[in-house]
Amino acid sequence: MNIIEAIKVSWGWVGIEPEEIIGENDFGNLIVKDDIGRYWRLCPEDIYCQVIAENRNELDALSTNQDFLADWYMAALTEQAKEKLGSLLPGRKYHLVIPSVLGGEYELSNIRTVPQIEQIHFSGDIGKKISELPDGAKVQLRVIE
């Protein structure tokens, strides 16, 4: 399965019809162009996939926004992850073991590397399960082997 197919399967419930990956970072965040020319950000650590630009002009404007760029590149955390876990192998991304929306911290003890396709599936599955919960709702994760 390729990345576009993984997004369709795991995040299609938000309405995305992905056509092209425009950008990605070391934590698996993706900028995805859809079938009608909108641009989405898939953010696995925060468990969301949402439209960030309605067209290329809006995306170009966003690409000069310093707050967006700092959030996108996560430079300090990426450097720390590289020092602790090493450079990423092809097809792998750094990953918050416990996503931030479930209380996970942006710290090295909560970061591992994972295959990117699994990261997309995991975040989409969790996102769908918690999408209708109110902010602050308590959740319980169970690992089933």
Side-chain angles (χ1 to χ4, degrees):
M1 176 174 289
N2 68 34
I3 292 173
I4 294 291
E5 291 168 344
I7 295 167
K8 284 179 184 177
V9 167
S10 297
W11 283 98
W13 60 272
V14 297
I16 188 171
E17 290 289 338
E19 281 196 351
E20 181 182 1
I21 305 300
I22 302 299
E24 64 182 273
N25 71 20
D26 286 344
F27 275 83
N29 283 232
L30 299 170
I31 296 178
V32 182
K33 183 178 179 185
D34 73 9
D35 61 333
I36 59 172
R38 296 179 301 179
Y39 296 86
W40 298 66
R41 180 175 180 179
L42 192 159
C43 183
E45 76 271 6
D46 290 338
I47 312 290
Y48 71 79
C49 183
Q50 62 191 30
V51 174
I52 58 170
E54 292 292 331
N55 54 52
R56 185 63 197 215
N57 287 339
E58 287 184 14
L59 182 65
D60 289 344
L62 189 60
S63 72
T64 64
N65 179 299
Q66 294 305 305
D67 290 335
F68 175 80
L69 293 173
D71 183 57
W72 176 260
Y73 287 109
M74 299 189 280
L77 190 60
T78 298
E79 188 59 36
Q80 291 171 10
K82 282 181 185 177
E83 287 176 18
K84 178 183 179 194
L85 302 170
S87 295
L88 291 166
L89 297 173
R92 296 186 73 86
K93 296 294 181 182
Y94 300 117
H95 178 74
L96 295 187
V97 176
I98 300 172
S100 67
V101 297
L102 299 180
E105 299 290 328
Y106 283 87
E107 58 186 36
L108 289 175
S109 63
N110 191 37
I111 298 173
R112 302 288 182 274
T113 66
V114 296
Q116 186 174 22
I117 299 294
E118 288 180 24
Q119 182 185 51
I120 293 167
H121 289 309
F122 172 78
S123 62
D125 291 346
I126 294 285
K128 187 171 184 178
K129 288 181 171 107
I130 67 171
S131 66
E132 295 186 23
L133 295 176
D135 286 347
K138 293 190 183 280
V139 296
Q140 182 179 33
L141 295 177
R142 290 186 308 183
V143 177
I144 300 172
E145 295 184 36

